[in-house]
Amino acid sequence: MNAEQKEQANGRPETDVETNEQEAGATYDAGASAEGAADTEQATGQSEAQEAVYPEVEELKKQAEENHQRFLRAQADFDNFRRRTQKEKEEFAKYASFKLVEQLLPVVDNFDRALAASKGSSDYEALTKGIDMIFRQLEQVLTSEGLQKMEAVGQPFNPEYHQAIMQVESDEYEEGIVVEEVQAGYLLKDKVIRPAMVKVSS
């Protein structure tokens, strides 16, 4: 079959086929070029956006680093404060009785003087008077520190303040009243440090 017969069989000349193929190739090349241009334009836009964002990112990094350093300094200050506070608490607990002992030293001095004076004297009345004065001085020191002596006799028995050692018959007091104090009880600033040892009416 010759070319003419092929044309007739296919219904179109070979030149038309070639022309169509060329046009298709040109269309593909144009599309590819347009797509490539679009990709280039997109890449350029992304690059410009990145360049615009980059200084902001650097600023945020700088701020983050500054905040981190500030946090580290604050943590170090807190650790130092905690150690200092702990040391102060330990020293306070160690020397909590410092003030009381300092106030008791004059009482101890007076006891020493009274004992020294009693060795060369038979004046028991003067010795008794001196010891009584020293006892009053001691009471003043303890009272200034918040020590209070309980008033137990005549009060209703209270197990929070009294320790009953005996029940006795009493015509003076009704049942359940403290009639006698065997050992004094004491409060330290409203807290019982030793209950009174008492006898209670039955």
Side-chain angles (χ1 to χ4, degrees), residues 2 16 48 64 105 120 128 132 134 147 150 158 174:
N2 56 28
D16 290 343
E48 290 176 353
L105 289 178
T128 302
D132 183 68
I134 296 170
L147 186 70
M150 293 181 189
N158 187 336
E174 61 184 26

Short mmCIF file of all heavy atoms in Angstrom, two decimals, residues 2 16 48 64 105 120 128 132 134 147 150 158 174:
data_model
loop_
_atom_site.label_atom_id
_atom_site.label_comp_id
_atom_site.label_asym_id
_atom_site.label_seq_id
_atom_site.Cartn_x
_atom_site.Cartn_y
_atom_site.Cartn_z
N ASN A 2 0.58 2.16 -0.98
CA ASN A 2 1.40 3.37 -1.08
C ASN A 2 0.86 4.45 -0.19
O ASN A 2 -0.13 4.28 0.51
CB ASN A 2 1.48 3.82 -2.55
CG ASN A 2 0.08 4.03 -3.14
OD1 ASN A 2 -0.84 4.35 -2.42
ND2 ASN A 2 -0.06 3.83 -4.46
N ASP A 16 -0.99 16.12 8.04
CA ASP A 16 -1.83 16.58 9.15
C ASP A 16 -1.40 15.93 10.47
O ASP A 16 -1.41 16.55 11.53
CB ASP A 16 -3.29 16.22 8.87
CG ASP A 16 -3.86 17.05 7.72
OD1 ASP A 16 -3.22 18.08 7.42
OD2 ASP A 16 -4.91 16.68 7.20
N GLU A 48 11.43 34.97 49.84
CA GLU A 48 11.21 36.31 50.36
C GLU A 48 10.48 36.27 51.71
O GLU A 48 10.78 37.03 52.62
CB GLU A 48 10.40 37.13 49.35
CG GLU A 48 11.19 37.46 48.08
CD GLU A 48 10.32 38.19 47.06
OE1 GLU A 48 9.11 38.30 47.31
OE2 GLU A 48 10.86 38.64 46.03
N ALA A 64 14.04 34.27 74.20
CA ALA A 64 13.99 32.99 74.89
C ALA A 64 15.27 32.76 75.69
O ALA A 64 15.23 32.28 76.83
CB ALA A 64 13.79 31.86 73.88
N LEU A 105 21.17 34.22 134.69
CA LEU A 105 22.53 34.36 135.23
C LEU A 105 22.59 35.23 136.49
O LEU A 105 23.29 34.87 137.45
CB LEU A 105 23.48 34.90 134.15
CG LEU A 105 23.81 33.93 133.02
CD1 LEU A 105 24.72 34.59 131.99
CD2 LEU A 105 24.47 32.67 133.57
N GLY A 120 29.93 31.68 156.58
CA GLY A 120 30.59 32.37 157.71
C GLY A 120 29.62 33.07 158.62
O GLY A 120 30.03 33.97 159.36
N THR A 128 17.43 33.29 155.20
CA THR A 128 16.09 32.99 154.69
C THR A 128 15.55 34.17 153.88
O THR A 128 14.94 33.98 152.81
CB THR A 128 15.14 32.68 155.86
OG1 THR A 128 15.65 31.57 156.61
CG2 THR A 128 13.75 32.36 155.35
N ASP A 132 14.60 34.10 149.90
CA ASP A 132 13.27 34.50 149.46
C ASP A 132 13.35 35.57 148.36
O ASP A 132 12.60 35.52 147.37
CB ASP A 132 12.46 35.02 150.65
CG ASP A 132 11.05 35.37 150.27
OD1 ASP A 132 10.26 34.46 149.94
OD2 ASP A 132 10.72 36.58 150.25
N ILE A 134 15.81 35.99 146.27
CA ILE A 134 16.31 35.34 145.05
C ILE A 134 15.19 34.57 144.37
O ILE A 134 15.05 34.58 143.13
CB ILE A 134 17.49 34.41 145.37
CG1 ILE A 134 18.67 35.21 145.93
CG2 ILE A 134 17.91 33.64 144.12
CD1 ILE A 134 19.79 34.36 146.49
N LEU A 147 5.58 32.14 131.83
CA LEU A 147 5.25 31.05 132.74
C LEU A 147 4.21 31.52 133.75
O LEU A 147 4.34 32.60 134.34
CB LEU A 147 6.50 30.57 133.48
CG LEU A 147 6.31 29.33 134.36
CD1 LEU A 147 6.07 28.10 133.49
CD2 LEU A 147 7.51 29.12 135.28
N MET A 150 -0.67 27.61 137.95
CA MET A 150 -2.11 27.35 137.98
C MET A 150 -2.67 27.57 139.38
O MET A 150 -2.01 27.29 140.38
CB MET A 150 -2.39 25.89 137.58
CG MET A 150 -2.08 25.55 136.15
SD MET A 150 -2.50 23.82 135.83
CE MET A 150 -1.80 23.60 134.19
N ASN A 158 -10.39 19.26 136.10
CA ASN A 158 -10.28 19.29 134.65
C ASN A 158 -9.07 18.45 134.24
O ASN A 158 -7.94 18.81 134.55
CB ASN A 158 -10.10 20.73 134.14
CG ASN A 158 -10.16 20.83 132.62
OD1 ASN A 158 -9.90 19.86 131.92
ND2 ASN A 158 -10.48 22.01 132.12
N GLU A 174 -18.06 20.55 147.18
CA GLU A 174 -18.93 19.53 146.60
C GLU A 174 -18.11 18.57 145.76
O GLU A 174 -16.91 18.77 145.53
CB GLU A 174 -20.03 20.19 145.76
CG GLU A 174 -19.51 21.02 144.59
CD GLU A 174 -20.64 21.73 143.86
OE1 GLU A 174 -21.69 22.00 144.48
OE2 GLU A 174 -20.45 22.01 142.66
#
